[in-house]
Amino acid sequence: MPENASELIDSFGRRHTNLRVAVTDRCNIRCFYCMPAENVLFKARDELLTFEEITRFVRVAVKLGVNKIRLTGGEPLVRQNVPELVRQLRAIDGIEDIALTTNGMLLADHAQALYDAGLHRLNISLDALSKETFERITRRQGLDQVLEGIFTAQRVGFSNIKLNAVAMAGITEDEVLPFGHFARQHDLEVRFIEFMPLDADDAWQRDRVLPGEQIRSLLEEGIAPLTPAPRLDPSQPATDYVFADGRGKIGFINPVTQPFCQDCNRLRLTAEGQVRNCLFSTEEWDARAIIRGGGTDQQLAQLMQESITAKKAGHGIDSDEFIKPQRAMYQIGG
Ligand code: SAM
Ligand code: SF4
């Protein structure tokens, strides 16, 4: 591949530097906004890219300007030996940042090894601090395990941990203030994410979205005023705030009520090696066929570029022409 291979710039001028890599589609819980309750059709293990295949893909992506990687899934920590993948990725010149998104269920066991492998940024998903709501959403038990995972991660050295909390009308309003207090007590940022139409059961409806602005009002009325935090990365999906007394950071990811597609710099690689240019893409580009079919790095680079060239301006959730992707969140990589 030529050294001056072009960057991943789409037809709207957005430069793609951020790659989300799903390492598995499996999961140890069953959040209703992501997975079906039962009869989940997981990919056969030999369909998933190996660590070496992922690393090769990333190496090519880095030549095209990618410098940030996030490992996700499914639940990444159900795959064996993720710290080894972190080590392989860290060895690639040009990667400035590696992060991982996890549901935290297995984190207490793996936090130290991940940290030692060189992972220093963690997002932990937790939608409720009450057991009842946690179990209603995840259809599993495990709140204490997740809390233990969070505190273990802090103990081994992870700082600036972000908690991702999906917000759903009629379900999580009562979680908002406890999360505000939790952020203040434990030096964490809690990020509320609006429920998106990416569930497997077609349960999403516009009126089940709990808008970020409503959550902000609840926090300001119930705890303290929030003041905007400096926006360090213009393409970050979250708008961050701090409580006016300086204790506790809160972020809002409002893809439904305040879409941020115009600043999107993300592309995705699914666990079985398909490139996606958007969470809501209805099309995929088959990198695994190139990787396993003896294709060249140049062909892989072209595939990434084709996918980025085809990227639409936005997800269009509110448009009459919106088509919900056939694949649910756990199959895409959040
Ligand atoms: N299993 C890991 C976890 O839950 O953190 C990583 C994968 S998960 C698909 C990534 C993120 O997507 C999680 O924070 C999850 O809450 C979020 N997510 C999943 N489905 C969603 C939906 N329909 N709307 C909004 N966020 C969603
Ligand atoms: Fe699993 Fe994460 Fe999906 Fe929940 S959001 S079912 S933890 S992959």
Side-chain angles (χ1 to χ4, degrees):
M1 191 168 67
E3 274 308 304
N4 62 352
S6 46
E7 296 188 317
L8 295 169
I9 300 177
D10 72 9
S11 44
F12 303 93
R14 296 171 295 196
R15 196 169 147 247
H16 291 72
T17 55
N18 194 319
L19 172 67
R20 306 213 165 193
V21 178
V23 299
T24 181
D25 57 351
R26 284 163 205 263
C27 190
N28 43 5
I29 57 177
R30 292 286 181 276
C31 307
F32 78 81
Y33 49 69
C34 176
M35 289 184 91
E38 39 204 51
N39 303 324
V40 191
L41 293 172
F42 292 121
K43 295 283 172 198
R45 277 168 207 276
D46 63 359
E47 288 196 49
L48 305 191
L49 293 191
T50 64
F51 289 169
E52 288 66 30
E53 289 170 333
I54 292 174
T55 305
R56 174 176 172 201
F57 182 94
V58 171
R59 221 179 268 119
V60 175
V62 165
K63 291 212 172 109
L64 301 175
V66 165
N67 54 29
K68 278 191 176 181
I69 309 288
R70 175 171 297 278
L71 301 178
T72 180
E75 170 48 37
L77 298 184
V78 301
R79 183 149 175 186
Q80 299 289 308
N81 220 0
V82 172
E84 173 53 29
L85 176 61
V86 172
R87 239 174 250 115
Q88 291 186 19
L89 294 175
R90 275 192 68 84
I92 300 174
D93 245 5
I95 293 187
E96 293 166 12
D97 186 52
I98 304 178
L100 176 110
T101 303
T102 172
N103 63 27
M105 295 283 287
L106 299 173
L107 189 55
D109 293 340
H110 296 292
Q112 185 75 59
L114 287 165
Y115 193 81
D116 293 347
L119 181 85
H120 294 152
R121 284 215 311 124
L122 263 185
N123 285 36
I124 304 171
S125 303
L126 177 62
D127 308 318
L129 288 167
S130 82
K131 249 186 198 147
E132 195 195 345
T133 308
F134 177 92
E135 290 172 12
R136 177 173 174 201
I137 294 171
T138 63
R139 304 188 277 214
R140 293 289 185 278
Q141 296 183 339
L143 175 62
D144 291 339
Q145 245 168 284
V146 178
L147 293 174
E148 196 192 332
I150 295 169
F151 300 135
T152 306
Q154 286 188 317
R155 257 196 316 278
V156 307
F158 285 97
S159 54
N160 300 321
I161 293 176
K162 296 184 172 81
L163 290 196
N164 289 353
V166 177
M168 289 155 288
I171 303 180
T172 62
E173 285 89 343
D174 289 348
E175 301 296 326
V176 170
L177 292 186
F179 268 127
H181 291 298
F182 194 77
R184 287 158 72 75
Q185 275 159 10
H186 297 289
D187 194 24
L188 296 156
E189 174 172 354
V190 175
R191 292 180 148 188
F192 294 97
I193 307 177
E194 288 176 348
F195 179 20
M196 294 182 276
L198 291 167
D199 56 312
D201 295 338
D202 285 331
W204 187 88
Q205 283 175 348
R206 192 67 166 71
D207 62 6
R208 300 196 70 181
V209 176
L210 179 58
E213 277 303 289
Q214 200 172 317
I215 299 173
R216 188 153 73 94
S217 302
L218 289 171
L219 288 165
E220 295 203 311
E221 283 158 23
I223 301 182
L226 286 163
T227 53
R231 196 174 177 80
L232 302 175
D233 172 1
S235 58
Q236 69 174 48
T239 307
D240 295 325
Y241 290 80
V242 282
F243 284 107
D245 62 5
R247 278 182 54 225
K249 202 167 177 188
I250 303 289
F252 298 97
I253 301 183
N254 301 340
V256 181
T257 62
Q258 296 173 325
F260 36 80
C261 303
Q262 74 280 1
D263 293 320
C264 180
N265 67 350
R266 292 173 284 283
L267 80 153
R268 293 180 148 80
L269 180 65
T270 69
E272 81 282 18
Q274 307 300 303
V275 179
R276 294 178 68 92
N277 59 22
C278 176
L279 271 177
F280 295 93
S281 175
T282 48
E283 215 180 328
E284 295 183 341
W285 285 261
D286 192 350
R288 189 182 64 188
I290 295 177
I291 293 171
R292 294 197 178 163
T296 62
D297 286 356
Q298 178 71 51
Q299 284 172 307
L300 263 184
Q302 261 165 16
L303 186 86
M304 288 181 221
Q305 269 155 343
E306 273 167 35
S307 147
I308 291 303
T309 303
K311 183 157 169 156
K312 295 187 180 146
H315 56 53
I317 288 174
D318 276 332
S319 137
D320 290 342
E321 280 123 61
F322 176 70
I323 302 169
K324 185 174 178 279
Q326 280 185 345
R327 305 238 263 160
M329 190 65 126
Y330 74 103
Q331 299 166 310
I332 296 171

